[in-house]
Amino acid sequence: LIDLQSAPSYSGMVPGCVSKLYTLPQVQIQIGPLAEWAGIEFVQGKVVGMSLEDEEKKTVQVEVSDDNGGVITKEVPFDAVSVDIGSTTRDFNRIPGASQYCISTRPISDLVVRIEKEEQLLKDRLKDGTFKAAHFVVVGGGPAGIELSLAIRARFNQMLNSNLSITLIDSSDGLLVNETPANRKALESVMAKYNIDTRFSLLVDEVTSSHVHV
């Protein structure tokens, strides 16, 4: 098993961690002990290549840290290889300004850390009196986006009180359009209860330091 991280987050618990129901260590999976228990070799490092020419000596090249803090390349032999590297945020690098001004949800294990950094910046602004109001925009109205918008409300509501607004935008014409009318109505009630503004049939064209342009 090869991975850059020794303790990735379980994605199903990340929204709960964002909302502070769980601490970060509670949602992390310690790969080392788990791999040892399962009798699996764990290599923490970055895959930089594969050798496929020789059927008898197929290997994955992995950059790992040595005992002196340097980087060496480790050859991991294989007969079959499965590449499971997760997803990326769609169009994140295509939309102007997105990578500069947005918090990507991928990789999911880093999401909580990135939100914690933004939270600290808000706290600093509250202390020095430069804060007026926070407006969070969540792009993507699927289950993950809905969970995240509710988690943001739970995390920041007490700190920001009435100075927090949240908008969820999506390219479809409604929330979870493939669900039953009863489910959609119940979800709409929840979003209204927690004062989350929903806007539909929108595509993001650009992100600036103060606005999401659609």
Side-chain angles (χ1 to χ4, degrees), residues 44-46 62-74:
Q44 184 177 357
K46 178 182 179 180
V62 188
E63 286 186 347
V64 299
S65 299
D66 62 16
D67 295 337
N68 299 317
V71 177
I72 60 174
T73 300
K74 178 182 177 70

Coordinates of all heavy atoms in Angstrom, one line a residue, residues 44-46 62-74:
Q44 N 5.1 5.0 2.7 CA 4.7 6.4 2.7 C 5.6 7.2 1.7 O 6.8 7.3 2.0 CB 4.7 7.0 4.1 CG 4.1 8.4 4.1 CD 4.1 9.0 5.5 OE1 4.4 8.4 6.5 NE2 3.7 10.3 5.6
G45 N 5.0 7.6 0.6 CA 5.8 8.4 -0.3 C 5.0 8.7 -1.5 O 3.8 8.5 -1.6
K46 N 5.7 9.3 -2.5 CA 5.1 9.8 -3.7 C 5.5 9.0 -4.9 O 6.7 8.8 -5.2 CB 5.5 11.3 -4.0 CG 5.0 11.9 -5.3 CD 5.5 13.3 -5.4 CE 5.0 13.9 -6.7 NZ 5.5 15.3 -6.9
V62 N 8.9 5.0 -6.0 CA 8.3 5.8 -5.0 C 9.4 6.7 -4.3 O 10.4 6.1 -3.9 CB 7.6 5.0 -3.9 CG1 6.8 5.9 -3.0 CG2 6.7 3.9 -4.6
E63 N 9.2 8.0 -4.3 CA 10.1 8.9 -3.5 C 9.7 8.8 -2.0 O 8.6 9.1 -1.7 CB 10.0 10.3 -4.0 CG 10.6 10.5 -5.4 CD 10.6 12.0 -5.8 OE1 9.9 12.8 -5.1 OE2 11.3 12.3 -6.7
V64 N 10.6 8.4 -1.2 CA 10.4 8.3 0.2 C 11.5 9.0 1.0 O 12.6 9.3 0.4 CB 10.4 6.8 0.7 CG1 9.2 6.1 0.0 CG2 11.7 6.1 0.4
S65 N 11.3 9.3 2.2 CA 12.3 10.0 3.1 C 13.2 9.0 3.6 O 12.8 7.9 4.1 CB 11.6 10.8 4.2 OG 10.8 11.8 3.7
D66 N 14.5 9.3 3.7 CA 15.5 8.4 4.3 C 15.7 8.8 5.7 O 15.1 9.7 6.2 CB 16.8 8.3 3.5 CG 17.5 9.7 3.5 OD1 17.2 10.6 4.3 OD2 18.4 9.8 2.6
D67 N 16.6 8.1 6.4 CA 16.8 8.3 7.9 C 17.5 9.6 8.1 O 17.4 10.1 9.3 CB 17.6 7.2 8.4 CG 16.9 5.8 8.4 OD1 15.7 5.8 8.4 OD2 17.6 4.8 8.4
N68 N 18.0 10.2 7.1 CA 18.8 11.5 7.3 C 17.9 12.7 6.9 O 18.4 13.8 6.8 CB 20.1 11.5 6.5 CG 21.0 10.4 6.9 OD1 21.2 10.2 8.2 ND2 21.6 9.7 6.0
G69 N 16.6 12.5 6.5 CA 15.8 13.6 6.1 C 15.8 13.9 4.6 O 15.2 14.8 4.2
G70 N 16.6 13.1 3.9 CA 16.7 13.3 2.4 C 15.6 12.5 1.7 O 14.7 11.8 2.4
V71 N 15.7 12.5 0.4 CA 14.7 11.8 -0.4 C 15.4 10.8 -1.3 O 16.4 11.1 -1.9 CB 13.9 12.8 -1.3 CG1 12.9 12.0 -2.2 CG2 13.1 13.7 -0.4
I72 N 14.9 9.5 -1.2 CA 15.5 8.5 -2.1 C 14.3 7.8 -2.8 O 13.2 8.0 -2.5 CB 16.2 7.4 -1.2 CG1 15.2 6.8 -0.2 CG2 17.4 8.0 -0.5 CD1 15.8 5.6 0.5
T73 N 14.7 7.1 -3.9 CA 13.7 6.4 -4.7 C 13.7 4.9 -4.3 O 14.7 4.2 -4.4 CB 13.9 6.6 -6.2 OG1 13.9 7.9 -6.5 CG2 12.9 5.8 -7.0
K74 N 12.5 4.4 -4.0 CA 12.3 3.0 -3.6 C 11.6 2.3 -4.7 O 10.6 2.8 -5.3 CB 11.5 2.9 -2.3 CG 11.2 1.5 -1.8 CD 10.3 1.6 -0.5 CE 10.0 0.2 0.0 NZ 11.1 -0.5 0.5

